[in-house]
Amino acid sequence: MNTTTITISQPEDIVAYLPYRLGFRPRDSVVLLAMCGERNRLGLVTRADLADIGHPRVGPALVRDVSRLMAEEGAHDVFVVLYSDLPRDRLASDPLVRGALEHLRTLTSWADPPGPWVVGAGTYGCWGAGEECAPATRDAAELDQRPVVATLVLHGLALVPEREDLAVARTTDAERRRSATRAAREGRRRLTELRARSGGGAALPGAAFGVPGAAPAVDQREMAEWREEERRRWERLVALAVRGAVLPANELGLLAAALEDNTVRDSVLCSVIHPLAGRVLDRARTEEILDLAMLPGGPPPDQVRVEPAAGVLRALVACVPRRSGALALGLLAWIAWWCADGARADVLAQQALRARPRTRLAELVDEALAARLPPGWVRAASGDPAAPRRPIR
């Protein structure tokens, strides 16, 4: 998500805009954009594999699920773009393309002629008025010259060539990797010792042992002081990111170890959602802030907080060992989901789970994407929809 205000006056502007909304150039996909209100506000974007939406059994269920989401979004129409590198004169006879058009046109009015728009290998255009006619073949390079693209690039939006490129790559700076690795190792050692001296370091009395109302076995003040220290470390790194400064690798390594503590991790997450001041949050306040992101009608992400926080987490992942960076990847995946960037959220969640299976936050993001659950600020209505058969990613 980006808070930049753009003006779109022609369908070609939407075709040019969609890859920037997704963060990558789709291939073999169907992308659907909700058009909402009298002024055609651009709403929810979903992307489905052409192989899924064109499948004779999966496709209709997929279209019905998307229809429900678009209705909840308040869409009065949906803009459809089909991405395929097939030669234009072969599209109409391709079974997956025919199936996708049939499902969209039978179950909705979104792709009725003259739609949908089609983007392929170097060409783009509208399908046309006839059911079997080939789409127009205008030069796709024109899309990159449209004013809407210039506006998006001016405000810092960029594309990666492939969806998989949304993953966070490790730095090639060997010294930064060594420094971060040493610090992460030292941070884990200190956390292990603190937990041993603090009876597990439970944030709530007895929580480490699952005993409701139990008193902590030992004094928790040392653990509380360490959490405050790590909160301040996070704030220092975010402040450096705001200024565009280089983030110290040893500080990133220590933060990677600190994220092993659920209280520190949740404090980081809450600081992205809502302005925080003072000490580490208690459990009740943490849950209250998380509800702001999860429940319908919550506030949208504020890029003033999101961008520097995500920058710190990306820098951390880039220089610590892969397993050590999994928790930060889980946070990045959650942030991407909250920003309605489903493709990036999926790529980052899978990257986290490959680095460290059962990373809980990554698992939660994966479940939300599989259920096509948008963040609270996107949902126009509450409900408890059943999980659909195939995810849109």
Side-chain angles (χ1 to χ4, degrees), residues 19-32:
Y20 287 87
R21 177 73 177 264
L22 294 170
F24 65 100
R25 297 190 187 277
R27 298 183 65 183
D28 298 319
S29 303
V30 176
V31 176
L32 304 110

PDB file of all heavy atoms in Angstrom, residues 19-32:
ATOM      1  N   PRO A  19       0.810  -3.212 -12.057  1.00  0.00           N
ATOM      2  CA  PRO A  19       2.059  -3.843 -11.600  1.00  0.00           C
ATOM      3  C   PRO A  19       2.693  -3.126 -10.412  1.00  0.00           C
ATOM      4  O   PRO A  19       3.286  -3.773  -9.541  1.00  0.00           O
ATOM      5  CB  PRO A  19       2.956  -3.772 -12.847  1.00  0.00           C
ATOM      6  CG  PRO A  19       1.999  -3.724 -13.989  1.00  0.00           C
ATOM      7  CD  PRO A  19       0.845  -2.899 -13.488  1.00  0.00           C
ATOM      8  N   TYR A  20       2.553  -1.809 -10.353  1.00  0.00           N
ATOM      9  CA  TYR A  20       3.115  -1.067  -9.214  1.00  0.00           C
ATOM     10  C   TYR A  20       2.312  -1.335  -7.951  1.00  0.00           C
ATOM     11  O   TYR A  20       2.869  -1.336  -6.849  1.00  0.00           O
ATOM     12  CB  TYR A  20       3.156   0.426  -9.536  1.00  0.00           C
ATOM     13  CG  TYR A  20       4.232   0.765 -10.534  1.00  0.00           C
ATOM     14  CD1 TYR A  20       3.987   0.686 -11.906  1.00  0.00           C
ATOM     15  CD2 TYR A  20       5.510   1.130 -10.120  1.00  0.00           C
ATOM     16  CE1 TYR A  20       4.976   0.973 -12.831  1.00  0.00           C
ATOM     17  CE2 TYR A  20       6.507   1.424 -11.035  1.00  0.00           C
ATOM     18  CZ  TYR A  20       6.231   1.337 -12.391  1.00  0.00           C
ATOM     19  OH  TYR A  20       7.223   1.600 -13.300  1.00  0.00           O
ATOM     20  N   ARG A  21       1.041  -1.552  -8.102  1.00  0.00           N
ATOM     21  CA  ARG A  21       0.213  -1.917  -6.944  1.00  0.00           C
ATOM     22  C   ARG A  21       0.629  -3.288  -6.411  1.00  0.00           C
ATOM     23  O   ARG A  21       0.659  -3.525  -5.200  1.00  0.00           O
ATOM     24  CB  ARG A  21      -1.261  -1.913  -7.351  1.00  0.00           C
ATOM     25  CG  ARG A  21      -2.237  -2.336  -6.267  1.00  0.00           C
ATOM     26  CD  ARG A  21      -2.401  -1.285  -5.181  1.00  0.00           C
ATOM     27  NE  ARG A  21      -3.402  -1.711  -4.213  1.00  0.00           N
ATOM     28  CZ  ARG A  21      -4.679  -1.332  -4.253  1.00  0.00           C
ATOM     29  NH1 ARG A  21      -5.096  -0.500  -5.195  1.00  0.00           N
ATOM     30  NH2 ARG A  21      -5.539  -1.758  -3.348  1.00  0.00           N
ATOM     31  N   LEU A  22       0.982  -4.203  -7.322  1.00  0.00           N
ATOM     32  CA  LEU A  22       1.395  -5.545  -6.926  1.00  0.00           C
ATOM     33  C   LEU A  22       2.861  -5.600  -6.503  1.00  0.00           C
ATOM     34  O   LEU A  22       3.247  -6.454  -5.710  1.00  0.00           O
ATOM     35  CB  LEU A  22       1.164  -6.528  -8.068  1.00  0.00           C
ATOM     36  CG  LEU A  22      -0.299  -6.782  -8.471  1.00  0.00           C
ATOM     37  CD1 LEU A  22      -0.353  -7.566  -9.767  1.00  0.00           C
ATOM     38  CD2 LEU A  22      -1.037  -7.516  -7.364  1.00  0.00           C
ATOM     39  N   GLY A  23       3.685  -4.727  -7.085  1.00  0.00           N
ATOM     40  CA  GLY A  23       5.109  -4.731  -6.805  1.00  0.00           C
ATOM     41  C   GLY A  23       5.930  -5.536  -7.791  1.00  0.00           C
ATOM     42  O   GLY A  23       7.157  -5.584  -7.691  1.00  0.00           O
ATOM     43  N   PHE A  24       5.297  -6.182  -8.754  1.00  0.00           N
ATOM     44  CA  PHE A  24       5.993  -6.981  -9.757  1.00  0.00           C
ATOM     45  C   PHE A  24       5.123  -7.058 -11.003  1.00  0.00           C
ATOM     46  O   PHE A  24       3.928  -6.727 -10.967  1.00  0.00           O
ATOM     47  CB  PHE A  24       6.290  -8.391  -9.234  1.00  0.00           C
ATOM     48  CG  PHE A  24       5.050  -9.214  -8.969  1.00  0.00           C
ATOM     49  CD1 PHE A  24       4.614 -10.161  -9.884  1.00  0.00           C
ATOM     50  CD2 PHE A  24       4.313  -9.037  -7.809  1.00  0.00           C
ATOM     51  CE1 PHE A  24       3.473 -10.914  -9.647  1.00  0.00           C
ATOM     52  CE2 PHE A  24       3.172  -9.785  -7.559  1.00  0.00           C
ATOM     53  CZ  PHE A  24       2.746 -10.720  -8.481  1.00  0.00           C
ATOM     54  N   ARG A  25       5.721  -7.506 -12.108  1.00  0.00           N
ATOM     55  CA  ARG A  25       4.968  -7.653 -13.353  1.00  0.00           C
ATOM     56  C   ARG A  25       4.391  -9.063 -13.409  1.00  0.00           C
ATOM     57  O   ARG A  25       5.152 -10.037 -13.496  1.00  0.00           O
ATOM     58  CB  ARG A  25       5.878  -7.393 -14.557  1.00  0.00           C
ATOM     59  CG  ARG A  25       6.431  -5.974 -14.607  1.00  0.00           C
ATOM     60  CD  ARG A  25       7.121  -5.695 -15.926  1.00  0.00           C
ATOM     61  NE  ARG A  25       7.786  -4.406 -15.928  1.00  0.00           N
ATOM     62  CZ  ARG A  25       7.174  -3.246 -16.174  1.00  0.00           C
ATOM     63  NH1 ARG A  25       5.882  -3.244 -16.441  1.00  0.00           N
ATOM     64  NH2 ARG A  25       7.846  -2.115 -16.163  1.00  0.00           N
ATOM     65  N   PRO A  26       3.080  -9.188 -13.369  1.00  0.00           N
ATOM     66  CA  PRO A  26       2.488 -10.538 -13.366  1.00  0.00           C
ATOM     67  C   PRO A  26       2.724 -11.265 -14.680  1.00  0.00           C
ATOM     68  O   PRO A  26       2.916 -10.652 -15.737  1.00  0.00           O
ATOM     69  CB  PRO A  26       0.993 -10.262 -13.159  1.00  0.00           C
ATOM     70  CG  PRO A  26       0.902  -8.842 -12.704  1.00  0.00           C
ATOM     71  CD  PRO A  26       2.075  -8.143 -13.299  1.00  0.00           C
ATOM     72  N   ARG A  27       2.671 -12.587 -14.599  1.00  0.00           N
ATOM     73  CA  ARG A  27       2.722 -13.436 -15.784  1.00  0.00           C
ATOM     74  C   ARG A  27       1.727 -14.564 -15.584  1.00  0.00           C
ATOM     75  O   ARG A  27       1.538 -15.059 -14.472  1.00  0.00           O
ATOM     76  CB  ARG A  27       4.126 -14.004 -16.005  1.00  0.00           C
ATOM     77  CG  ARG A  27       5.200 -12.954 -16.252  1.00  0.00           C
ATOM     78  CD  ARG A  27       6.540 -13.584 -16.521  1.00  0.00           C
ATOM     79  NE  ARG A  27       6.537 -14.350 -17.774  1.00  0.00           N
ATOM     80  CZ  ARG A  27       7.597 -15.047 -18.205  1.00  0.00           C
ATOM     81  NH1 ARG A  27       8.705 -15.083 -17.500  1.00  0.00           N
ATOM     82  NH2 ARG A  27       7.527 -15.705 -19.348  1.00  0.00           N
ATOM     83  N   ASP A  28       1.084 -14.984 -16.676  1.00  0.00           N
ATOM     84  CA  ASP A  28       0.112 -16.092 -16.624  1.00  0.00           C
ATOM     85  C   ASP A  28      -0.852 -15.908 -15.450  1.00  0.00           C
ATOM     86  O   ASP A  28      -1.030 -16.796 -14.616  1.00  0.00           O
ATOM     87  CB  ASP A  28       0.837 -17.436 -16.519  1.00  0.00           C
ATOM     88  CG  ASP A  28       1.712 -17.699 -17.726  1.00  0.00           C
ATOM     89  OD1 ASP A  28       1.273 -17.397 -18.850  1.00  0.00           O
ATOM     90  OD2 ASP A  28       2.840 -18.203 -17.553  1.00  0.00           O
ATOM     91  N   SER A  29      -1.443 -14.736 -15.392  1.00  0.00           N
ATOM     92  CA  SER A  29      -2.280 -14.349 -14.256  1.00  0.00           C
ATOM     93  C   SER A  29      -3.533 -13.625 -14.733  1.00  0.00           C
ATOM     94  O   SER A  29      -3.597 -13.145 -15.866  1.00  0.00           O
ATOM     95  CB  SER A  29      -1.510 -13.407 -13.311  1.00  0.00           C
ATOM     96  OG  SER A  29      -0.314 -13.976 -12.859  1.00  0.00           O
ATOM     97  N   VAL A  30      -4.502 -13.553 -13.834  1.00  0.00           N
ATOM     98  CA  VAL A  30      -5.652 -12.668 -13.990  1.00  0.00           C
ATOM     99  C   VAL A  30      -5.647 -11.748 -12.783  1.00  0.00           C
ATOM    100  O   VAL A  30      -5.633 -12.207 -11.637  1.00  0.00           O
ATOM    101  CB  VAL A  30      -6.974 -13.447 -14.076  1.00  0.00           C
ATOM    102  CG1 VAL A  30      -8.151 -12.483 -14.139  1.00  0.00           C
ATOM    103  CG2 VAL A  30      -6.977 -14.368 -15.289  1.00  0.00           C
ATOM    104  N   VAL A  31      -5.624 -10.445 -13.022  1.00  0.00           N
ATOM    105  CA  VAL A  31      -5.620  -9.450 -11.946  1.00  0.00           C
ATOM    106  C   VAL A  31      -6.937  -8.706 -11.988  1.00  0.00           C
ATOM    107  O   VAL A  31      -7.389  -8.275 -13.055  1.00  0.00           O
ATOM    108  CB  VAL A  31      -4.431  -8.478 -12.089  1.00  0.00           C
ATOM    109  CG1 VAL A  31      -4.482  -7.396 -11.018  1.00  0.00           C
ATOM    110  CG2 VAL A  31      -3.109  -9.246 -12.002  1.00  0.00           C
ATOM    111  N   LEU A  32      -7.555  -8.551 -10.816  1.00  0.00           N
ATOM    112  CA  LEU A  32      -8.861  -7.922 -10.713  1.00  0.00           C
ATOM    113  C   LEU A  32      -8.785  -6.765  -9.723  1.00  0.00           C
ATOM    114  O   LEU A  32      -8.275  -6.921  -8.605  1.00  0.00           O
ATOM    115  CB  LEU A  32      -9.913  -8.937 -10.260  1.00  0.00           C
ATOM    116  CG  LEU A  32     -10.010 -10.181 -11.144  1.00  0.00           C
ATOM    117  CD1 LEU A  32      -9.476 -11.377 -10.384  1.00  0.00           C
ATOM    118  CD2 LEU A  32     -11.432 -10.449 -11.586  1.00  0.00           C
TER     119      LEU A  32
END
